Amino acid sequence: MKRRFAAFGAVLLAVAASVLLFVRPADAAVGLHISGRNIVEANGQTFVMRGVNHPHVWFTSQTRAFADIKALGANTVRVVLGSGKRWGPSTDVGQVISLCKQNRLICVLEVHDTTGYGEEGAAASLDEAVDYWISQKSALVGQENFVVINIGNEPIGNTNAGQWTAATTSAIARMRGNGFQHLLMVDAPNWGQDWQYVMRDNAQTILDADTQRNTVLSIHMYAVFNTAASITDYLDRFRSNGWPLVIGEFGWRFNSGEVDHDTILSEANARGLGYLGWSWSGNTDPILDMATSFDPNQLTTWGERIFNGANGIRATARQATVYDSVTPGPTTPPVTPTTTRPVTPTATPTGGSRACTATYAVTGQWTGGFQGDVRVTAGGSAVSGWTVTWTFADGQRVSQAWNATVTSSGSNVTARNVSYNGNLAAGASTTFGFLGSWNGTNSAPTVSCTAN
């Protein structure tokens, strides 16, 4: 999102939409995929994104944001990453995915360096964005149920916006040629706002370029979309052609002539379209912050509107069904949290050549309660499953857990992998988390890890 919100004015000339035949995309083999106009899960259940953007690459320490966004009702978070061309590089993709999964959020990952390419001299090309995704492939493969890859944020500016079609089809082809099976998301040109209608008029070409028929188009709605008519006309073109679309970014009408957020929210809800508002916190122009200083207890006018207002996130979001079999993680922020106090004893590996290690940490603590994370890492060989055990010495108790099946017998705790995180390549890691209670002392136990 380039921080620009001035209306383009009368110089914008409407371009007639191309009349294109719609070809129903075939379902992808795994994970989130496209069926007709809809995003569906692997089980065929329709999934409608309801969430916000989080500027992770600029605020990597604000990992608590994932839990806070979930606690306010979101089912999706779009995470800003950097390829290293302008920001980053973001080499913590695995940790970001783990945070999404711990908090039962669908993770839309985007490379921000492409913003405004062709007009912004420092921007990365879509081809460079694909290079980044290939470099992070090991963290992404196997996460198709939970992750959408947004190839590049707003990848073309207002200079030669027509180059977007060839650049986007090439990027999609390279992603598929390199084995990515994820649902792909592609942003419009014109800083995401498509006011020259390049994406609208070439939508079928883009969708046909995907051999897996598993791409969703994304429009960013700011000052160009400042009337109900401009919003409904654009959305109508996609609906009439049967093209899958999400509203990947949008702001709010803080001044006359700005984006008509009320119409965006109501139309998205009526049409079953996903939306992801910009943004959680950290904007240089704080008018777009939803939470002041990343504090969920200090929602701004925009934050209250999108989370708690009509057609907002809390009223319309439905959690992805892939998480139905996962023991829930925290759904509300802990009361009066203290400073994070990491505790990291490491397990002695067991299991011979299929060894694993585990590291225990307290990631948040408050009166009577705490949140813990355990990171499991495979040894020199791949593992097909793992079990972590420990004994609490101070009467602590686990109350709920996620990303592992956790059972307790008195002070003894056993955590076993769930279906999607048992297979780890040599040296690869996964993380599970839990909420617990304590009274008086919360010392860290020694953990043991056994691999299958």
Side-chain angles (χ1 to χ4, degrees):
M1 192 278 300
K2 183 182 178 186
R3 293 169 175 83
R4 76 272 178 239
F5 300 100
F8 281 85
V11 296
L12 303 183
L13 300 176
V15 179
S18 298
V19 180
L20 300 170
L21 275 178
F22 167 63
V23 179
R24 179 186 175 94
D27 290 353
V30 296
L32 293 159
H33 58 280
I34 296 299
S35 177
R37 293 174 52 242
N38 298 322
I39 296 172
V40 300
E41 298 185 64
N43 62 5
Q45 178 67 44
T46 298
F47 178 74
V48 181
M49 293 182 185
R50 289 287 182 266
V52 302
N53 288 262
H54 171 53
H56 172 74
V57 71
W58 304 305
F59 303 94
T60 53
S61 65
Q62 295 291 344
T63 55
R64 182 54 194 266
F66 293 83
D68 292 335
I69 291 166
K70 175 64 179 182
L72 288 164
N75 63 19
T76 306
V77 61
R78 182 171 180 258
V79 184
V80 177
L81 302 176
S83 70
K85 180 73 177 285
R86 299 171 73 182
W87 302 288
S90 299
T91 57
D92 58 348
V93 171
Q95 292 93 320
V96 169
I97 295 172
S98 182
L99 285 164
C100 288
K101 289 165 68 173
Q102 287 171 26
N103 292 287
R104 294 162 295 141
L105 292 162
I106 294 301
C107 218
V108 177
L109 303 178
E110 59 104 336
V111 165
H112 214 74
D113 306 64
T114 55
T115 307
Y117 180 80
E119 184 175 354
E120 169 57 67
S125 67
L126 275 174
D127 200 48
E128 290 173 303
V130 174
D131 290 340
Y132 169 76
W133 293 120
I134 293 171
S135 76
Q136 300 301 308
K137 184 177 177 181
S138 62
L140 292 160
V141 171
Q143 304 300 326
E144 292 85 355
N145 283 321
F146 309 96
V147 172
V148 178
I149 299 178
N150 191 173
I151 301 176
N153 181 70
E154 302 178 358
I156 308 292
N158 294 321
T159 302
N160 186 20
Q163 67 183 297
W164 175 88
T165 304
T168 302
T169 56
S170 175
I172 292 170
R174 283 193 67 204
M175 292 293 287
R176 295 306 184 208
N178 278 278
F180 289 93
Q181 299 186 58
H182 303 72
L183 172 60
L184 300 178
M185 183 184 292
V186 295
D187 287 2
N190 300 127
W191 303 93
Q193 296 201 79
D194 201 29
W195 62 267
Q196 293 177 306
Y197 307 127
V198 174
M199 183 173 82
R200 186 194 71 181
D201 293 349
N202 293 278
Q204 194 65 57
T205 298
I206 299 304
L207 298 175
D208 289 345
D210 185 353
T211 56
Q212 294 192 17
R213 300 295 190 266
N214 197 24
T215 294
V216 63
L217 305 164
S218 175
I219 182 65
H220 292 186
M221 290 186 161
Y222 291 104
V224 169
F225 297 94
N226 61 348
T227 66
S230 63
I231 294 164
T232 56
D233 177 72
Y234 193 87
L235 299 181
D236 282 347
R237 304 299 180 99
F238 282 76
R239 180 170 62 184
S240 64
N241 285 285
W243 297 326
L245 182 72
V246 297
I247 302 168
E249 285 187 22
F250 67 104
W252 66 296
R253 177 169 280 165
F254 51 88
N255 283 317
S256 176
E258 296 299 341
V259 59
D260 183 0
H261 64 273
D262 284 329
T263 296
I264 290 173
L265 289 166
S266 62
E267 288 295 323
N269 191 43
R271 298 164 186 259
L273 292 178
Y275 64 69
L276 303 166
W278 186 279
S279 73
W280 178 238
S281 196
N283 289 280
T284 55
D285 181 354
I287 197 74
L288 286 171
D289 284 353
M290 297 172 186
T292 302
S293 300
F294 294 92
D295 184 352
N297 297 311
Q298 297 186 60
L299 291 183
T300 63
T301 303
W302 176 215
E304 287 287 355
R305 174 66 188 91
I306 192 168
F307 285 109
N308 299 320
N311 299 301
I313 290 171
R314 196 182 295 276
T316 64
R318 299 294 180 269
Q319 181 176 286
T321 62
V322 71
Y323 291 117
D324 287 352
S325 61
V326 178
T327 304
T331 56
T332 56
V335 179
T336 318
T338 60
T339 302
T340 298
R341 182 171 63 88
V343 188
T344 56
T346 301
T348 300
T350 60
S353 63
R354 292 184 178 274
C356 59
T357 58
T359 303
Y360 179 109
V362 173
T363 58
Q365 183 171 295
W366 57 98
T367 303
F370 72 102
Q371 180 174 331
D373 281 355
V374 178
R375 186 175 183 82
V376 179
T377 303
S381 300
V383 303
S384 58
W386 46 262
T387 301
V388 176
T389 59
W390 69 86
T391 300
F392 283 126
D394 304 310
Q396 302 100 317
R397 292 289 185 271
V398 174
S399 57
Q400 55 180 281
W402 53 97
N403 287 350
T405 300
V406 177
T407 58
S408 299
S409 176
S411 59
N412 299 316
V413 181
T414 301
R416 294 182 173 85
N417 65 275
V418 289
S419 60
Y420 55 78
N421 63 3
N423 291 305
L424 298 176
S429 297
T430 188
T431 302
F432 67 90
F434 63 90
L435 291 183
S437 61
W438 68 286
N439 185 16
T441 304
N442 190 21
S443 59
T446 298
V447 291
S448 297
C449 186
T450 303
N452 299 336

